[in-house]
Amino acid sequence: MTGAMYAAIGGLKTHMSNLNVIGNNIANVNTYGYKAGRMTFKESMYTTSRTGSNGGATSGGNNPSQIGYGCSIGSIDLNMSPSTYAPTGYPLDTYIDGEGFYMFGDKDGNILSTKDATALELSRVGDFWIDPDGYICNRDGKCLYGFARVQNPNYIAKPTDKDKEDAEASGIDITSKTIISSQLVPLRVPLSAAKPTADNKGLIPGNGKPGDPDYKADQYLWNEGDPVYPYLVEEKSADGKTYYTNEYAPVDYTGKVAAAEVPATGSMGLGKTNMVVGQNTDELRASDELHVQLKEVSVQKNGAIQGIAANGDTVIIGYIAIANCDSPDGVTHIDGPYYKAMGGAGALRVSALNGVLEGKYMGNQSMDILGAAAGNPDTDPVIDPMDYIVNEKAVELRSSGLESSSTDIAQEFTDMIKTQRGYQANTRIITVTDSMLEELVNMKR
């Protein structure tokens, strides 16, 4: 065989690969969140029949003489730039207006740092719903990760002026019942409170009867069905770093288990947390934890997912986290609409939208959870700057729609015609080479 035939065979294989890329783009023209691929060609190897020369005192130089052996695949790239908004009418369908990815994983993910977050799957498709266990998932059953609201360990129901002055000096919030935790967790609807009883520390029994001088009515610390947000607990890592992680309150199995799990002080974790969760006894239940049923659930521009509880209160489930990479076009396509930040993507950073967690670090590492008095900056391990949560102001979320495919049909049809003609031309090289070889064989008759 001649070099021309080898070159043509390489050209045929490469043009067929390009047609595969074009075919995949056209097939996904209506696939939400699809990112069109592009293949580039590169020259293959060369053989040198004569090297080049710069010339000498009496003779001129000459160029090298080289013959190429066709082409091969140069690269197959993804265009990860945002595509257009496609309305769907589903209130939980969410479009990222800007760059970035949603993060998906399992229900039991324990993400305390940005390094941990690299294990999560990335996607531009926000087809969310609330599963029977209260988790915010996509239609593949993967849990959406974000920042949940938790019980404020510093909350004081009726603070005095002195309390307010001390809180301001320490830089802590004592007036909000809940705060945003900077631990990256699978977002879940708040759980539903059990009936308060003396066993689960939700009821302080009174004394006497109405009308008696020493009469004191029963005191209930919460109402059955109230939202129960996670509480914060301190966790130490192997390298000595301090994290504050989200923990769900225990389930009250008719007063038999919760009583043992609730400390005598009536509080769990940090602060004055004392609520316990009602038991889900449904035969088809996903877990024993009963969660609040919400109506009119929607996604806000800053990533807040909120709904209306049965008592009319607005309940914020949490805030969607957005991941960004140094090189978004370098993410690795793993399956369907999912990517991972592997080699070529650079560093992954986690961000919250529009000042939701400004100045915070992953895993609640900053020492402002319990105020300025917490921690020792001279002896505590240095916080990794990669764990800083980026305050993303250039990105917003838009509900009731998804991102359309980035396939450009006109461009794909043009590329298909060019590929077809290129393939045809390479077949002609093989035909002509075969004809020349036939003439060579037929020289002796």
Side-chain angles (χ1 to χ4, degrees), residues 110-432:
N110 185 30
I111 309 299
L112 297 177
S113 65
T114 301
K115 183 179 180 180
D116 296 338
T118 58
L120 298 176
E121 296 179 357
L122 311 177
S123 179
R124 294 276 301 178
V125 183
D127 53 343
F128 306 136
W129 71 299
I130 301 176
D131 83 343
D133 202 17
Y135 285 92
I136 308 298
C137 300
N138 65 7
R139 300 296 170 168
D140 291 333
K142 298 179 185 292
C143 295
L144 173 67
Y145 274 66
F147 305 106
R149 294 201 75 90
V150 297
Q151 299 182 48
N152 184 0
N154 305 305
Y155 173 70
I156 299 177
K158 297 179 180 180
T160 63
D161 292 339
K162 180 67 166 55
D163 292 332
K164 294 178 181 179
E165 291 176 3
D166 294 342
E168 185 176 358
S170 300
I172 60 176
D173 179 7
I174 62 172
T175 59
S176 301
K177 288 186 177 181
T178 62
I179 57 175
I180 308 172
S181 168
S182 65
Q183 183 190 6
L184 197 60
V185 296
L187 294 179
R188 189 184 190 188
V189 174
L191 303 179
S192 179
K195 179 180 179 180
T197 64
D199 288 333
N200 62 28
K201 309 293 192 300
L203 168 64
I204 302 176
N207 296 319
K209 298 179 181 180
D212 292 345
D214 59 348
Y215 171 71
K216 188 176 181 181
D218 292 344
Q219 181 181 356
Y220 295 93
L221 301 183
W222 67 79
N223 295 317
E224 184 175 5
D226 281 352
V228 182
Y229 291 90
Y231 58 91
L232 293 173
V233 295
E234 184 177 318
E235 182 176 323
K236 287 282 188 181
S237 66
D239 58 0
K241 290 185 178 180
T242 300
Y243 299 95
Y244 296 97
T245 60
N246 304 0
E247 186 77 24
Y248 286 112
V251 176
D252 186 352
Y253 293 96
T254 62
K256 296 178 181 179
V257 174
E261 295 190 24
V262 179
T265 58
S267 64
M268 297 169 287
L270 306 179
K272 305 176 179 62
T273 305
N274 56 7
M275 300 176 73
V276 294
V277 179
Q279 180 185 4
N280 185 356
T281 59
D282 185 83
E283 293 182 356
L284 301 178
R285 64 186 180 276
S287 71
D288 291 338
E289 298 163 325
L290 192 65
H291 64 81
V292 174
Q293 291 185 340
L294 299 179
K295 297 177 176 63
E296 301 180 20
V297 181
S298 61
V299 181
Q300 307 303 306
K301 290 183 177 181
N302 65 351
I305 303 177
Q306 63 184 41
I308 307 299
N311 60 5
D313 291 343
T314 298
V315 174
I316 297 179
I317 299 172
Y319 299 82
I320 298 174
I322 299 296
N324 282 284
C325 301
D326 291 339
S327 179
D329 292 346
V331 294
T332 301
H333 206 159
I334 55 174
D335 181 36
Y338 305 108
Y339 307 86
K340 274 199 173 182
M342 302 171 72
L348 181 140
R349 299 295 300 275
V350 177
S351 62
L353 305 182
N354 298 314
V356 168
L357 279 170
E358 188 170 4
K360 305 296 183 181
Y361 290 83
M362 294 279 288
N364 300 298
Q365 292 181 72
S366 56
M367 295 179 296
D368 57 2
I369 292 296
L370 298 178
N376 186 342
D378 296 326
T379 60
D380 287 353
V382 177
I383 297 176
D384 188 344
M386 293 295 294
D387 289 342
Y388 180 76
I389 298 173
V390 178
N391 178 26
E392 183 61 72
K393 297 181 179 179
V395 176
E396 290 183 343
L397 299 185
R398 296 173 62 184
S399 61
S400 301
L402 297 172
E403 184 177 43
S404 61
S405 170
S406 66
T407 297
D408 184 338
I409 285 292
Q411 183 64 49
E412 298 302 329
F413 272 57
T414 301
D415 292 343
M416 183 169 57
I417 293 172
K418 290 165 56 180
T419 302
Q420 181 185 14
R421 293 307 182 191
Y423 190 90
Q424 186 179 37
N426 278 275
T427 61
R428 291 295 296 163
I429 293 294
I430 294 177
T431 303
V432 170

Side-chain angles (χ1 to χ4, degrees), residues 433-444:
T433 303
D434 179 61
S435 178
M436 294 173 66
L437 290 174
E438 183 182 9
E439 290 294 328
L440 181 63
V441 171
N442 292 335
M443 284 179 64
K444 184 177 185 306

